[in-house]
Amino acid sequence: MELINGKELAKKIRMELKEEVEELKQKGIKPKLAVIMVGDDKASAVYVRNKSKACEEIGIEFEEFLLESTITQEYLINLIKELNNREDINGILLQSPIPEGLDIREAFNTIDYRKDVDGFNPINVGKLSIGEDSFISCTPYGVIKMLEEYNIPIEGKRAVIIGRSNIVGKPLIQCLLNKNATVTVCHSKTKNIEEITSKADILIAALGKPKFVTSNMVKEGAVVIDVGINRNEEGKLVGDVDFENVSKKVSYITPVPGGVGPMTIAMLMYNVVKSAKSLLKK
Ligand code: NAP
């Protein structure tokens, strides 16, 4: 079994991006990410801090908009429109969740697709589905990058995804399909899930249930990617896969923490740099 080291790989990507950012700056382009956070969700605050640290390391400018949970939808939409129009900003990220009563879908739809570094705008979702160049949402993109960097073949392989959320499962379907995998998706209404997962060459768990994937659900020699981030009873971070037992059976596996998580932030940085680079073509 080989461990897919997301932490190391993410560091390598960040170092490559740092060089690219230096080159862009020499050409007069300063990549900049705007992050909007509404309310004081503790987990979101940690994610935003990690994103700001990554920006700082790479040399990407970072502007935070920390909004009270009492703001109106109109205020949020107007802020996004203002950021869409600002030439110094290449990427706009709205940290989810936002308080109930605000419409996150409308907010994502308002972000200019050319600055939509999270890849949640329907234009980017649509472009991904027809195989056009687009911003790909960061977690699925991180998963694909891991497979590629470890030279794990995707073409012709049977890939099974557990989870069909808009931010992870669904874009992953498209990413894997674009790489010529044969893709099956499981969700909470899927019957006999073990029968499906145990045929997977590549199994991706993205459902948010600690240790859901047990060794009987996995084929000998399979590649297992664990997207899940959960807290167990002791408050420790665990994935969706029973790592201890599943790892004995597989060819490759990602750990939690240190797997998909750091890759997500690295691919966000990648998307911000991609957006800044598009200015070179203008
Ligand atoms: P989500 O929106 O809650 O979606 C969960 C998906 O899993 C749904 O499609 C649901 O099916 C399916 N599901 C739930 N229980 C199931 C079961 N018993 N059997 C089969 N499918 C089941 O979650 P998400 O936002 O995609 O996140 C999934 C996990 O990834 C979470 O642990 C989250 O923290 C983690 N995550 C990690 C990163 C990272 O950077 N590593 C990024 C994003 C998310 P239905 O559609 O039928 O409800």
Side-chain angles (χ1 to χ4, degrees), residues 223-237:
V223 175
V224 175
I225 307 287
D226 190 351
V227 178
I229 301 179
N230 314 288
R231 295 235 173 240
N232 68 8
E233 305 83 47
E234 296 109 54
K236 218 178 123 208
L237 276 190

Side-chain angles (χ1 to χ4, degrees), residues 28-152:
I29 295 173
K30 288 191 216 157
K32 186 168 187 174
L33 173 66
V35 173
I36 306 169
M37 190 175 122
V38 191
D40 54 3
D41 183 81
K42 284 201 177 61
S44 294
V46 174
Y47 291 137
V48 170
R49 203 176 325 127
N50 289 340
K51 287 166 189 174
S52 101
K53 272 200 244 161
C55 283
E56 198 183 331
E57 182 189 16
I58 294 168
I60 295 173
E61 291 181 14
F62 186 83
E63 194 170 332
E64 251 177 334
F65 296 85
L66 305 176
L67 309 180
E68 298 283 334
S69 56
T70 49
I71 59 148
T72 60
Q73 180 73 8
E74 193 187 4
Y75 184 92
L76 179 61
I77 296 299
N78 283 339
L79 172 64
I80 294 171
K81 286 182 179 165
E82 190 187 310
L83 297 174
N84 283 344
N85 290 329
R86 268 180 55 183
E87 281 188 5
D88 63 321
I89 287 177
N90 311 101
I92 304 169
L93 185 149
L94 172 62
Q95 185 66 45
S96 68
I98 62 174
E100 271 179 42
L102 293 174
D103 180 354
I104 199 161
R105 210 49 261 177
E106 189 196 9
F108 284 145
N109 295 2
T110 305
I111 296 175
D112 186 321
Y113 77 97
R114 288 159 298 195
K115 297 188 180 187
D116 172 37
V117 287
D118 249 344
F120 295 160
N121 181 295
I123 296 181
N124 282 316
V125 175
K127 278 172 170 278
L128 176 66
S129 79
I130 56 172
E132 275 187 15
D133 185 43
S134 63
F135 286 116
I136 303 174
S137 69
C138 306
T139 301
Y141 205 4
V143 169
I144 296 297
K145 196 83 182 161
M146 281 176 143
L147 295 172
E148 284 178 349
E149 290 278 337
Y150 277 78
N151 293 317
I152 295 167

Side-chain angles (χ1 to χ4, degrees), residues 160-231:
V160 174
I161 305 161
I162 314 176
R164 57 171 167 180
S165 71
N166 288 339
I167 62 164
V168 187
K170 281 185 194 153
L172 257 176
I173 301 171
Q174 219 52 62
C175 290
L176 290 161
L177 208 53
N178 290 349
K179 298 261 168 212
N180 297 322
T182 302
V183 186
T184 306
V185 192
C186 302
H187 45 78
S188 68
K189 308 289 184 289
T190 302
K191 304 251 186 301
N192 303 326
I193 199 162
E194 179 189 333
E195 202 180 291
I196 300 164
T197 58
S198 59
K199 292 194 176 77
D201 301 309
I202 300 171
L203 178 61
I204 302 174
L207 71 156
K209 298 261 183 296
K211 296 191 178 183
F212 180 88
V213 176
T214 46
S215 67
N216 55 311
M217 295 171 72
V218 178
K219 188 170 93 168
E220 196 85 41
V223 175
V224 175
I225 307 287
D226 190 351
V227 178
I229 301 179
N230 314 288
R231 295 235 173 240

Side-chain angles (χ1 to χ4, degrees), residues 20-31 59-61:
E20 282 199 66
V21 168
E22 274 163 23
E23 283 169 26
L24 281 171
K25 284 184 176 168
Q26 280 164 17
K27 291 175 182 146
I29 295 173
K30 288 191 216 157
I60 295 173
E61 291 181 14

